[in-house]
């Protein structure tokens, strides 16, 4: 398996860490999985999920992608940007990911908010859970902040108005300080999951 020097893979124990994935492989791997991608606004976690889907789809048709913006558009109930509203939105993503994974899907989730309680729920309740953290400091995303989320005028922005809770034990952490493409980052995620060893590398 190829893991870049810029990637950090950790074993959080049961419920989705690399050790659990290897044990699952020995038993005969399940088809379903939840890949939960976490990053600040501007870290392009939805772009990474798109790249993951494009690499996985040719080998497995059961891949689906969900993100907060899409779910918000479907629900149409006007959640705002407060921390309370963000928690409500993440809980919706959790329920949807759980439902889809239990039906055999590989679910890619792009999440812009986290806290320890929400991530603990993921590990306890989501089958074959794999947590990806896109680590980046606020300054780079502030510099390319086209939506003015970090200039202090938008209000209720994570890391500006709302505390940012970085994941403590992600299964893989990718640094965005280097210049790797989304496809290269996606390939690293694929390489870190034993179930995807049958997915051919395209880079």
């Amino acid at each position: 398996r190829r893991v870049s020097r810029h990637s950090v893979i950790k074993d959080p124990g049961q419920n989705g860490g690399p050790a659990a994935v290897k044990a699952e492989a020995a038993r005969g791997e399940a088809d379903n999985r939840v890949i939960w991608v976490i990053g600040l606004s501007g870290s392009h976690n939805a772009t990474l999920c798109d790249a993951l889907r494009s690499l996985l789809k040719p080998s497995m048709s059961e891949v689906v992608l969900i993100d907060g913006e899409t779910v918000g558009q479907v629900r149409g109930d006007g959640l705002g940007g407060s921390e309370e509203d963000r928690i409500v939105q993440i809980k919706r993503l959790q329920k949807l990911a759980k439902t889809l994974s239990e039906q055999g899907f590989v679910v890619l989730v792009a999440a812009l908010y986290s806290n320890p309680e929400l991530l603990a729920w993921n590990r306890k309740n989501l089958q074959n859970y794999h947590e990806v953290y896109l680590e980046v400091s606020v300054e780079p995303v502030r510099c390319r902040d086209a939506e003015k989320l970090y200039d202090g005028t938008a209000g209720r922005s994570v890391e500006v108005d709302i505390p940012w809770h970085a994941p403590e034990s992600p299964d893989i952490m990718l640094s965005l300080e280097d210049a790797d493409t989304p496809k290269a980052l996606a390939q690293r995620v694929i390489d870190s999951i034993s179930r995807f060893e049958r997915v051919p590398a395209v880079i």
Side-chain angles (χ1 to χ4, degrees):
R1 242 184 275 172
R2 304 181 307 282
V3 179
S4 164
R5 63 185 176 84
H6 298 293
S7 306
V8 177
I9 299 178
K10 299 181 180 179
D11 182 359
Q14 297 180 348
N15 297 319
V21 171
K22 290 178 182 177
E24 178 188 90
R27 295 193 302 269
E29 295 185 75
D31 287 335
N32 62 342
R33 182 166 300 280
V34 176
I35 303 176
W36 193 277
V37 182
I38 308 164
L40 285 167
S41 296
S43 64
H44 301 309
N45 58 353
T47 302
L48 175 60
C49 285
D50 279 330
L52 277 167
R53 179 171 55 180
S54 69
L55 294 182
L56 293 172
K57 269 290 188 182
S59 300
M60 53 187 74
S61 60
E62 69 274 19
V63 179
V64 294
L65 191 163
I66 59 176
D67 61 49
E69 182 177 354
T70 300
V71 171
Q73 291 173 351
V74 171
R75 292 295 298 255
D77 51 5
L79 283 178
S82 69
E83 190 166 18
E84 292 77 14
D85 285 346
R86 290 173 185 271
I87 291 172
V88 170
Q89 185 75 323
I90 293 297
K91 288 182 176 180
R92 290 175 178 175
L93 296 181
Q94 289 173 325
K95 291 177 182 178
L96 184 54
K98 187 174 188 295
T99 298
L100 291 171
S101 67
E102 288 174 350
Q103 295 179 47
F105 286 93
V106 174
V107 186
L108 311 175
V109 181
L112 294 176
Y113 175 83
S114 71
N115 66 35
E117 292 75 22
L118 292 170
L119 296 181
W121 189 96
N122 285 358
R123 290 208 179 274
K124 182 178 179 180
N125 295 280
L126 299 179
Q127 297 178 1
N128 303 317
Y129 176 71
H130 199 76
E131 190 172 286
V132 180
Y133 175 35
L134 295 179
E135 189 275 331
V136 64
S137 61
V138 72
E139 279 309 311
V141 293
R142 191 193 300 270
C143 290
R144 58 174 182 257
D145 180 20
E147 298 181 23
K148 304 300 181 183
L149 297 175
Y150 293 99
D151 68 355
T153 62
R156 297 180 176 180
S157 300
V158 175
E159 191 62 34
V160 177
D161 308 292
I162 297 171
W164 169 243
H165 306 279
E168 296 179 357
S169 299
D171 296 288
I172 180 170
M173 182 171 68
L174 303 174
S175 173
L176 297 185
E177 303 301 329
D178 54 40
D180 280 340
T181 65
K183 185 173 288 187
L185 294 173
Q187 189 67 56
R188 292 189 213 168
V189 176
I190 290 171
D191 290 346
S192 73
I193 302 174
S194 64
R195 187 244 161 154
F196 295 153
E197 286 179 345
R198 64 186 173 93
V199 178
V202 296
I203 57 174

